[in-house]
Amino acid sequence: MSDGRPELAAAQREHWQDTYRVHPKMYGSGPSEPALYAADVFAAEGVGRILELAAGHGRDTLFFAHRGFTVVATDFSDVAAAQIGRVAQAQGVAARVEATVHDMRNPLPLGPGSIDAVFAHMALCMALSTKEIHAIVDEVGRVLKAGGKFIYTVRHTGDAHYGIGHCHGDDIFECGGFAVHFFDHELVERLAAGWILDDVHDFEEGDLPRRLWRVTATKPN
């Protein structure tokens, strides 16, 4: 899936590895607002098995597991994946959590239609090219069952950090060591080609605050 930013990808992986080592609970221990929303949507759909992309230190993964879902949690950081496994064991939900080291730029290690729902909080807006993002969404569509929900969030071009810091091109800007691909609405619409676009919700998160879209899409039957 990669299309020419290997140095940026490697640098970001090391940056996140170091971040998780130093700040293992950098986003807190409670679930994100999008995870609260997603859990209700997934429960209403009778979802059993969730794929979470770029799960980080696992606050949403663990929340989903406590809600009774089985979660395949992926992240390109082995530090993060190991932490998820340890905390899941300590909290008594290890049987419902599979933490896997996986770079989203590579094909998912899952079979076609093997996942009931997919959740990705700020995963697609990492240091990924537009081409790579399209390939990731194609992979999500491959592993998601027909009629399954894909809920993701991305920082958008209305965010205060858009255009700030070092520009890597393709609407990717690096500030404070973190590279972000900021989405415009046209990109959301292009990614929805072949999907049913249920909802695009604008919201804020954090102290900056970050400006994000929460996108809900359904894979057609």
Side-chain angles (χ1 to χ4, degrees):
M1 290 185 188
S2 180
D3 66 344
R5 288 184 174 82
E7 293 182 2
L8 176 60
Q12 284 295 293
R13 181 182 294 105
E14 287 306 309
H15 183 70
W16 279 104
Q17 291 272 58
D18 291 342
T19 298
Y20 289 133
R21 289 188 187 101
V22 177
H23 304 290
K25 294 183 179 180
M26 65 178 294
Y27 294 116
S29 57
S32 67
E33 181 277 332
L36 295 171
Y37 163 82
D40 289 341
V41 172
F42 295 161
E45 294 289 321
V47 164
R49 193 175 187 221
I50 298 171
L51 167 65
E52 182 179 358
L53 301 176
H57 61 69
R59 61 173 179 154
D60 292 336
T61 298
L62 296 165
F63 165 69
F64 289 139
H66 282 291
R67 281 286 300 262
F69 302 105
T70 298
V71 189
V72 179
T74 68
D75 199 279
F76 69 173
S77 166
D78 60 340
V79 175
Q83 181 181 337
I84 292 172
R86 288 194 303 271
V87 178
Q89 185 70 42
Q91 294 185 3
V93 292
R96 291 198 291 274
V97 174
E98 178 186 339
T100 302
V101 178
H102 176 262
D103 189 325
M104 291 186 293
R105 295 171 181 84
N106 299 320
L108 287 162
L110 297 163
S114 61
I115 293 293
D116 297 327
V118 180
F119 178 75
H121 183 29
M122 290 196 291
L124 299 185
C125 61
M126 297 183 74
L128 300 162
S129 70
T130 298
K131 181 179 178 180
E132 288 169 334
I133 293 167
H134 275 278
I136 292 166
V137 172
D138 287 346
E139 271 294 281
V140 167
R142 181 183 67 82
V143 304
L144 185 62
K145 72 175 186 180
K149 296 289 185 182
F150 177 28
I151 296 175
Y152 71 87
T153 68
V154 289
R155 294 174 73 175
H156 61 65
T157 52
D159 187 281
H161 277 165
Y162 177 62
I164 302 298
H166 178 68
C167 179
H168 291 280
D170 201 11
D171 273 341
I172 300 173
F173 293 88
E174 183 177 347
C175 186
F178 296 96
V180 177
H181 189 138
F182 294 89
F183 278 47
D184 57 23
H185 206 280
E186 182 182 355
L187 179 53
V188 172
E189 292 177 346
R190 292 202 306 271
L191 291 172
W195 294 76
I196 299 167
L197 186 58
D198 301 314
D199 181 61
V200 180
H201 172 68
D202 193 355
F203 72 103
E204 297 182 348
E205 181 180 80
D207 296 331
L208 185 60
R210 292 182 290 270
R211 294 285 306 279
L212 301 101
W213 282 317
R214 185 193 69 212
V215 180
T216 305
T218 302
K219 179 179 175 179
N221 289 310

